[in-house]
Amino acid sequence: MFEIESLEEAAVAAALVTGPRHRLVQHNRSFRELFASWRPGQEAGVALTGPGLRPVLRALDLARTDRSAPLVDVPLTTPDGPSGPRLWVVSCLPVISRHGASVLLLAVRVPDGPAVDAAVRPHVPADHGTDLARYEALLSAVPQVVWRMTPEGVVSALVGRLGETGGGLWHPGRSGLPWMDAVHPKDRDGFAGKWAATARGDALLDAVVRIRQAGDPVRYRHIKIVAVPVLRDGEVLEWIGTVTDAEDQWRVRTRDRLLERASAVSSARDLPEAFAATASAVVPDLADAFVVFQLRRPDRARSGTEALYATRARTALATGVPPLPPITDDFALGALARQVIESRRTRLLAFPPGEPPKELVSGPSADWMVRARTTSLAIVPVVIDDRTVALASVSSCLGNPPPGDAELGLLEEVLVSVRDPLRRTLELQSVRDTALVLQRSFLITPPRVEGAELAAVYHPASTTAEIGGDWYDAIVLPDGAVALSIGDVVGHDLRAATEMTKVSSMLRAFAYAGGPSGPAHTLSRLDEVTQGVSDVALVTALHAVLRPAGGHRWDVTLSNAGHPPPLLIPASGRPRCLYGPEAPDPPLCVAAGVERHDWHHELAPGDTLLFYTDGLVERPGADISDGVRQLAERAAGLRGPGRPLSELVAALLPPPGEATDDIAVIAFRADDVPRPP
């Protein structure tokens, strides 16, 4: 669709008229000055009065009815011009606009010669050379350039100042290369499709593409190309198009789009997730590969002697780029990374495809660049609180040209925009790391127990970065019995982890010093003390004491405070959940003086008792009872003679990345035969 706004500031007078009476719908500044009396909405027959302007009306009729492109010489006088009329060349081109079939009226003053009688001259092949010269004169005042194209989409000539404007755009007439070779490789396929559609007459050409700059094979600039068909008797004679510099327009629109994508960093829960949002904003718009390396020791990164050990926090690759190789724990960055850290400035290296400077990058990175046919490497420091905490490595691959100054500037702006969200994420990550260390310190390895096998595992949620209030415990009591417990403090933050340490420590102490009292008494004491010294909102817990009963059997006494039921996996028979004769007691910390109950079960030789937290059986949108049933079914399929208990427990966990909540599991299996010493 042709719009007159593209010629608003042009020296050529331009207007768009529509309808059988040529109603004025759009016009630019120069047209308003030349035809001051022609107001928007007014018909041409009303505005263009006098015999000197009748040829213009005739040309408008021809353009609308015959779809031809007539030219007319008209004597006109501008309000601020010299006395007497001057000769103007007026062209009427049939176009398609949002108003439907329209006519584009263009007028430019002929620089030499006085005014002569007006005459309409149709655009016919005999006058082709003259018409081309007049097109050049007509549009020489347009800020950019005009080009001509055959119906097949082949450029036969360029008119205007291409190569002299827009930062020195590439000019095909001076390089001897085809037009399409000047288009950026990433834009070539899309532009070729639009070009072909234009050649078929399916649509007008209106595209923003990157075109090679004059004299530089790797620097490109964004331009806007708009084409208008020139018709005669319903057939396309040629195409007339404008080429407008669009670098600033592209930069503004791309910046807004990238910053909108990068805004997702503010809701990221950890650094990989934060950098993932940044990567999605960069690839493939600005680069083919985006890799973030998180420094392991940011405080020592500026030391000139210590190796720069790093881990990959995020990787994003464009389609067709080969995957990056795995890196080991001793992966160290190259010399270029140290230069960036010391200067805190972006560094860009450009080199022939697949030929990186190996003395400046690490060995694995250099090998990958060869396979990826990389042509550039830019490293941008991520500086937070006067520390370089990470490095963003950006590459152009598959032989694509390196990023220009505009692309590199946008990349830096995106990384600067996420600095504050990254700082908050780093602080949260530090808190999570502290909580993880605290939590893991209480998740002990189960003790060795004569006549039984124990196994335990903690599986953090993928979305909470290893923070939660889940715990398990197992201790051997003074009389030789074994106490098992598992629980969950509500919450997924440092507070939940801290409260978990208090509750689990008190339960261990009460269990060890409880004497002959049962698990219900132990949980009652825990409930009373916790409500007195803590502000925990809710705790679920399952506590059991197991005593050997002879013949490889074990007597089990259990008390359940609102926790998922234990799963019995018998040596023979179907796995099932164990419930007491009464409904489970309520969780801890919900009310004072809650009466709690014990109940009993006997483990036969080879039987397994599995305690777990709700993360193992709870799924969004599903009932937890369905999860418990599915757990029993999985256990039935995984059970096998001679299978170690630790393997069974690990096999019951969800695949990596699918856990939506923390999971703690502890299992006890009664021996079915005596163990060797």
Side-chain angles (χ1 to χ4, degrees):
M1 290 293 179
F2 183 83
E3 296 295 340
I4 211 70
E5 284 84 352
S6 60
L7 299 175
E8 172 61 27
E9 298 301 324
V12 62
L16 194 68
V17 300
T18 186
R21 298 182 181 275
H22 313 300
R23 179 173 53 86
L24 179 64
V25 291
Q26 290 180 294
H27 57 325
N28 70 348
R29 176 182 53 79
S30 296
F31 188 89
R32 289 191 292 272
E33 295 174 354
L34 183 60
F35 295 92
S37 61
W38 195 352
R39 298 186 302 274
Q42 197 173 40
E43 296 174 354
V46 177
L48 303 180
T49 58
L53 295 178
R54 288 175 185 170
V56 178
L57 294 174
R58 175 60 177 159
L60 289 171
D61 289 336
L62 288 173
R64 175 174 175 78
T65 57
D66 296 347
R67 306 303 289 172
S68 60
L71 296 173
V72 59
D73 301 331
V74 181
L76 295 170
T77 302
T78 57
D80 57 350
S83 59
R86 304 292 296 179
L87 184 63
W88 289 71
V89 179
V90 177
S91 175
C92 297
L93 304 175
V95 298
I96 301 298
S97 72
R98 66 169 180 263
H99 307 284
S102 305
V103 175
L104 173 65
L105 189 153
L106 302 171
V108 66
R109 186 173 67 84
V110 176
D112 55 343
V116 297
D117 293 338
V120 178
R121 302 189 307 106
H123 185 153
V124 295
D127 293 327
H128 188 79
T130 304
D131 288 344
L132 177 57
R134 287 183 176 273
Y135 277 129
E136 295 184 22
L138 178 65
L139 293 170
S140 61
V142 176
Q144 298 301 324
V145 296
V146 180
W147 54 271
R148 299 175 60 250
M149 184 177 70
T150 67
E152 290 75 26
V154 178
V155 173
S156 59
L158 288 171
V159 180
R161 300 187 298 272
L162 187 59
E164 302 173 5
T165 58
L169 296 178
W170 170 86
H171 195 305
R174 298 174 185 172
S175 66
L177 296 176
W179 166 270
M180 192 60 70
D181 286 355
V183 179
H184 194 285
K186 290 186 177 181
D187 298 343
R188 203 166 288 166
D189 290 343
F191 184 61
K194 293 181 179 180
W195 193 327
T198 302
R200 294 191 303 266
D202 296 342
L204 294 181
L205 182 66
D206 187 347
V208 174
V209 294
R210 285 167 283 186
I211 298 294
R212 185 183 303 137
Q213 292 191 260
D216 195 328
V218 296
R219 295 189 66 191
Y220 291 79
R221 192 173 182 87
H222 290 82
I223 65 171
K224 180 178 178 63
I225 301 178
V226 178
V228 180
V230 179
L231 307 175
R232 180 171 179 267
D233 298 330
E235 297 293 331
V236 177
L237 294 178
E238 61 184 4
W239 294 86
I240 296 296
T242 61
V243 175
T244 308
D245 183 74
E247 188 71 12
D248 292 340
Q249 176 187 7
W250 170 85
R251 185 183 296 110
V252 170
R253 291 184 177 179
T254 303
R255 175 185 179 274
D256 292 344
R257 184 174 69 254
L258 296 181
L259 294 182
E260 181 180 1
R261 293 182 190 173
S263 63
V265 174
S266 60
S267 60
R269 304 178 68 121
D270 54 31
L271 278 181
E273 185 178 342
F275 285 126
T278 308
S280 67
V282 172
V283 176
D285 285 359
L286 301 181
D288 298 310
F290 179 82
V291 184
V292 176
F293 293 97
Q294 186 177 354
L295 301 182
R296 295 184 187 170
R297 297 179 179 178
D299 295 326
R300 305 181 187 180
R302 301 189 74 176
S303 170
T305 58
E306 187 167 338
L308 293 173
Y309 294 109
T311 56
R312 288 193 193 124
R314 176 55 56 178
T315 299
L317 304 176
T319 303
V321 177
L324 288 160
I327 59 175
T328 58
D329 291 338
D330 59 351
F331 173 78
L333 297 170
L336 182 63
R338 185 175 297 281
Q339 296 176 15
V340 171
I341 292 175
E342 291 175 351
S343 65
R344 294 186 179 177
R345 298 183 63 182
T346 300
R347 285 289 308 276
L348 171 65
L349 295 179
F351 40 84
E355 300 180 20
K358 297 185 178 181
E359 70 277 6
L360 294 178
V361 297
S362 65
S365 298
D367 294 340
W368 173 81
M369 290 180 188
V370 173
R371 291 187 291 109
R373 296 180 58 237
T374 303
T375 60
S376 68
L377 171 64
I379 298 183
V380 184
V382 180
V383 181
I384 297 177
D385 295 334
D386 204 37
R387 294 188 309 162
T388 301
V389 299
L391 297 174
S393 174
V394 183
S395 300
S396 296
C397 305
L398 307 177
N400 289 321
D405 294 340
E407 287 88 351
L408 207 56
L410 283 174
L411 173 64
E412 291 177 323
E413 190 169 358
V414 168
L415 291 173
V416 168
S417 73
V418 301
R419 183 178 296 169
D420 288 340
L422 283 178
R423 179 186 291 108
R424 292 192 295 271
T425 303
L426 278 171
E427 293 171 351
L428 179 59
Q429 186 70 56
S430 177
V431 171
R432 286 171 174 164
D433 292 343
T434 302
L436 176 61
V437 171
L438 182 64
Q439 186 178 40
R440 289 289 173 85
S441 67
F442 282 84
L443 300 176
I444 62 168
T445 301
R448 293 183 60 86
V449 175
E450 184 179 355
E453 181 183 5
L454 276 78
V457 66
Y458 177 80
H459 188 73
S462 306
T463 57
T464 55
E466 305 183 323
I467 292 186
D470 295 19
W471 90 88
Y472 61 78
D473 197 10
I475 58 173
V476 178
L477 301 180
D479 62 357
V482 179
L484 298 182
S485 60
I486 196 165
D488 184 4
V489 176
V490 67
H492 291 92
D493 50 20
L494 180 59
R495 177 178 173 276
T498 303
E499 295 298 335
M500 176 273 295
T501 63
K502 297 179 184 178
V503 174
S504 61
S505 297
M506 287 189 292
L507 177 56
R508 167 177 273 239
F510 291 151
Y512 191 83
S517 60
H521 178 72
T522 301
L523 288 181
S524 295
R525 293 186 63 192
L526 176 65
D527 194 10
E528 179 183 1
V529 174
T530 301
Q531 293 187 57
V533 301
S534 176
D535 58 352
V536 177
L538 186 77
V539 181
T540 67
L542 177 62
H543 184 53
V545 175
L546 300 91
R547 302 180 187 277
H552 305 298
R553 295 180 176 273
W554 290 78
D555 288 329
V556 185
T557 305
L558 307 98
S559 184
N560 190 343
H563 202 78
L567 180 68
L568 174 66
I569 309 174
S572 60
R574 296 191 61 80
R576 68 183 189 279
C577 293
L578 295 182
Y579 296 96
E582 302 178 16
D585 298 332
L588 308 178
C589 304
V590 296
V594 173
E595 183 181 2
R596 303 198 174 273
H597 305 85
D598 287 329
W599 45 285
H600 301 272
H601 182 79
E602 183 178 79
L603 287 183
D607 286 356
T608 298
L609 191 60
L610 186 81
F611 291 4
Y612 54 91
T613 55
D614 57 4
L616 186 63
V617 294
E618 199 170 40
R619 296 293 180 269
D623 191 275
I624 192 171
S625 61
D626 294 333
V628 172
R629 176 179 49 79
Q630 293 171 4
L631 174 65
E633 293 174 354
R634 291 202 309 273
L638 294 170
R639 178 184 53 190
R643 185 168 196 171
L645 184 59
S646 59
E647 288 187 10
L648 173 63
V649 169
L652 290 172
L653 298 176
E658 293 187 9
T660 58
D661 197 359
D662 305 308
I663 299 172
V665 179
I666 187 167
F668 180 99
R669 176 187 286 168
D671 287 346
D672 52 0
V673 294
R675 293 189 184 189

